[in-house]
Amino acid sequence: MATELAVETERNLIGGQWVPAASGKTFENRSPADGNDLVGVFPESDRRDVDAAVAAAKKAFPAWRDMPAPRRGEILYAAGEILKRDKEKLARLMTREMGKVLAETRGDVQEAIDMAFLAAGEGRRLFGFTTPSELSNKFAMCIRQPVGVCAFVTPWNFPMAIPAWKGMAALIAGNTVVIKPATDTPASVVALARVFEEAGLPAGAWNVVMGSGGAVGDPLVSHPDVKVVSFTGSTEVGRRISVACAPTFKRVHLEMGGKNAILVMDDADVELAVEGALWGAFGTTGQRCTASSRLLVQRKVYDGFVMKLVEGAKALRVGNGLEAGVDVGPCVSERQRESVAKYIEIGKQEGAKLLCGGEKLSAGDLSRGWFLSPAVFADADAKMRIACEEIFGPVTTVVPIDSLDEGIRIANSVPYGLSGSIYTQDVNKAFKAMREFETGLFYVNSSTIGAEVHLPFGGMKDTGNGHREAGIAGLDVFTEWKSIYVDFSGKLQRAQIDTYESAD
Ligand code: NAP
Ligand code: MG
């Protein structure tokens, strides 16, 4: 199991060339499930590599922008087909480098496929609009235009899906890209770059620079030739990026943390709610921005829900995600596991009841990875830190509630606003919750996770800064609207002035 593929020494992709970092330095990436499994060796880049990549993206921009969008779409269709062909191989690589189980890494690659086909189809749409002018013999229309060089800074939890959400939308609109992947998951982004290469994407349209947030991310987002920054990651880093981008007024798209609540009402199908809560809380080892980390349960069904939830959490098999039958992989790194373990201690000190899990697992092969058993805290108070702060690990917190109004108030009481859900059989409750949750995503009788690529994705409050990705809304981040007026009257016509004079 340890080394399925030969260890690759990877390079940055700059202007169509695979080149080592200017520093000549490299860093290792090992599997979080097995420290003996060296996934690859990657360039440790800095500002010099960033400058070269941005210059390459800038040089490639005019030709890519001027290529007819349907032709750009054909390249993305080809990329989607290659991703389909290589889905299993890519999923296995991703499980090795990131840890989540194969079923989920297949889903991650599938999201990239879906996004490729969605964006490719946009090549024959990219709709603008026409509208009547207020003056005679004058034509008015609005078109989308690409913005220029885009910088992506991406996290490790969706190593291919998130770069693909951003990338497919930016490319179909005619932009060029420099991406800095998370240090924990560079291999999946290198693999995506190879897919684009094989699909026939011109040199310089997609550039990859690997290295740390400070040495690569920082100079990349503040580079004056970068016109759009699209970031997914923590609220803390997002805030820093927002500040770094302000002096040049560049467009900044931020997708950040979450603390998502499921409401379970007295009339809910409890079995279904438990199933959804388990999947939402422990899928991806809880390392999802949309994880169901708060379970707000009405009193009548509370005890039964908690009992079944704990039963289900204990039954989850923790292990190497490459193995059949494993439900929950490791935390992505030692640092991440330490951070989650700290929250387990905080929860105990705050007085919530730890009903299961929260232990570092080290029996047998598990000693080689960063495993933690799925933890359920119950009888928690909504104001406790474990019920308000993003933990980003296999931990969920159950809080009893008396009413729908109380549930909605608690759900909205955190600074984040990404996803939410309600389990109820009552359509009136469902619609009230749908309207009142301060979140960009909402689910009825389903967990807080499960977004599809043709709907906008993103959050409110400290989760986002008003943009969305995926769907058609995702194009707004990567295009400028241009309003165009064509006057074919042969005379000077003054808007607002002649409009009314000629009517008299
Ligand atoms: P993170 O620490 O904020 O890192 C995200 C990315 O930012 C990484 O590529 C990181 O590089 C880079 N970075 C770090 N410091 C930087 C700096 N000073 N300047 C520029 N870039 C910098 O987040 P993470 O731990 O990877 O991911 C977990 C977080 O992402 C969670 O908060 C989660 O909720 C959020 N997330 C949100 C969404 C969403 O759509 N809302 C989706 C997935 C994840 P290094 O890897 O080198 O540190
Ligand atoms: Mg690693």
Side-chain angles (χ1 to χ4, degrees), residues 101-399:
V101 300
L102 269 179
E104 291 187 41
T105 51
R106 287 185 193 117
D108 195 301
V109 179
Q110 186 59 46
E111 222 164 313
I113 297 168
D114 296 343
M115 197 58 216
F117 291 153
L118 175 76
E122 270 315 296
R124 287 193 182 270
R125 287 185 292 268
L126 282 174
F127 290 140
F129 58 91
T130 65
T131 181
S133 164
E134 65 186 44
L135 289 156
S136 312
N137 298 320
K138 191 175 172 191
F139 190 86
M141 63 185 158
C142 210
I143 62 168
R144 286 186 187 274
Q145 291 199 308
V147 191
V149 177
C150 303
F152 299 167
V153 176
T154 54
W156 42 262
N157 62 341
F158 283 86
M160 190 170 280
I162 290 176
W165 284 355
K166 299 182 190 306
M168 302 296 174
L171 290 171
I172 196 62
N175 303 279
T176 56
V177 173
V178 179
I179 179 169
K180 185 213 99 63
T183 299
D184 284 318
T185 55
S188 295
V189 171
V190 168
L192 181 62
R194 290 221 172 85
V195 168
F196 283 138
E197 214 178 19
E198 189 185 340
L201 193 71
W206 182 265
N207 305 275
V208 183
V209 182
M210 289 163 268
S212 72
V216 176
D218 197 34
L220 177 60
V221 299
S222 41
H223 197 294
D225 286 336
V226 165
K227 301 302 176 200
V228 182
V229 171
S230 182
F231 165 81
T232 300
S234 61
T235 297
E236 187 193 340
V237 173
R239 186 169 283 120
R240 288 180 56 163
I241 288 180
S242 186
V243 170
C245 292
T248 50
F249 308 116
K250 64 186 64 166
R251 189 175 300 180
V252 187
H253 159 232
L254 305 170
E255 290 294 342
M256 301 170 287
K259 187 72 183 177
N260 315 289
I262 296 182
L263 300 191
V264 183
M265 306 315 297
D266 277 346
D267 61 6
D269 176 338
V270 174
E271 302 272 343
L272 189 68
V274 167
E275 225 183 327
L278 287 168
W279 169 231
F282 303 122
T284 319
T285 317
Q287 302 169 123
R288 284 186 186 238
C289 48
T290 52
S292 312
S293 48
R294 293 186 293 159
L295 309 175
L296 313 181
V297 185
Q298 217 174 349
R299 303 260 179 206
K300 206 171 94 192
V301 292
Y302 185 86
D303 289 341
F305 176 90
V306 169
M307 194 190 74
K308 291 194 177 90
L309 182 74
V310 170
E311 226 169 72
K314 284 180 175 166
L316 292 170
R317 218 184 115 204
V318 180
N320 189 321
L322 292 172
E323 286 167 24
V326 167
D327 302 297
V328 178
C331 298
V332 76
S333 62
E334 180 176 21
R335 198 178 59 152
Q336 191 65 24
R337 186 171 75 163
E338 284 312 312
S339 154
V340 179
K342 198 186 74 192
Y343 272 106
I344 300 285
E345 287 315 308
I346 291 170
K348 287 186 202 163
Q349 279 160 23
E350 287 179 313
K353 262 193 217 145
L354 179 62
L355 296 182
C356 67
E359 288 150 11
K360 293 178 185 171
L361 301 175
S362 56
D365 289 349
L366 296 185
S367 66
R368 298 207 297 270
W370 312 120
F371 296 97
L372 195 74
S373 52
V376 174
F377 278 108
D379 303 351
D381 183 278
K383 291 203 170 58
M384 290 177 178
R385 286 183 63 191
I386 55 163
C388 298
E389 297 176 18
E390 186 180 47
I391 299 177
F392 228 58
V395 183
T396 194
T397 300
V398 197
V399 177

Side-chain angles (χ1 to χ4, degrees), residues 115 118 122 169 452-457 469-476:
M115 197 58 216
L118 175 76
E122 270 315 296
E452 301 176 26
V453 300
H454 50 304
L455 280 76
F457 181 95
E469 60 191 338
I472 302 309
L475 292 173
D476 293 338

